[in-house]
Amino acid sequence: MSDNNDIEHYYPMSLCKAFFNWCIANDIRPTFELLHDFVCEVQRSSFVGQYGPRFQSIKEVLDDIESDDSLA
C-alpha cells in the first residue's frame, strides 16, 4: 500500500526549464516544493501568486521562454 506522500509527479520539460530560469533570475534555491507550486500555478490548478505574470496557456509560457532565449 502506498500513502499520498508517495505519489509520483511528472512535469513538462519546458515548465521545468522556466522554473529553473526563474530561480536563477531571482537568486532562489530551487526545491521540489517550489517546482510543484510553480507548475501548478502555470497550469492553473492552484494559485500561489509569487511567480510573476499569470499565463493564459502553456503556449504563452513557451512563447515567453522562446523570446527570452532569443534575447540571450
Side-chain angles (χ1 to χ4, degrees):
M1 289 179 28
S2 157
D3 59 22
N4 290 338
N5 293 334
D6 293 334
I7 295 173
E8 292 184 18
H9 296 278
Y10 298 93
Y11 303 106
M13 183 176 67
S14 58
L15 290 182
C16 291
K17 180 180 176 183
F19 169 73
F20 286 109
N21 286 338
W22 178 82
C23 287
I24 291 168
N26 292 286
D27 197 28
I28 294 174
R29 184 172 181 255
T31 64
F32 171 76
E33 290 80 13
L34 279 176
L35 171 63
H36 181 74
D37 289 345
F38 181 88
V39 170
C40 287
E41 181 174 339
V42 171
Q43 293 179 333
R44 290 188 174 258
S45 58
S46 71
F47 177 70
V48 178
Q50 60 180 329
Y51 301 110
R54 303 232 348 165
F55 297 99
Q56 298 298 315
S57 67
I58 298 300
K59 183 178 182 332
E60 288 182 47
V61 174
L62 297 175
D63 290 344
D64 189 59
I65 292 170
E66 288 174 3
S67 69
D68 289 346
D69 287 346
S70 67
L71 295 175

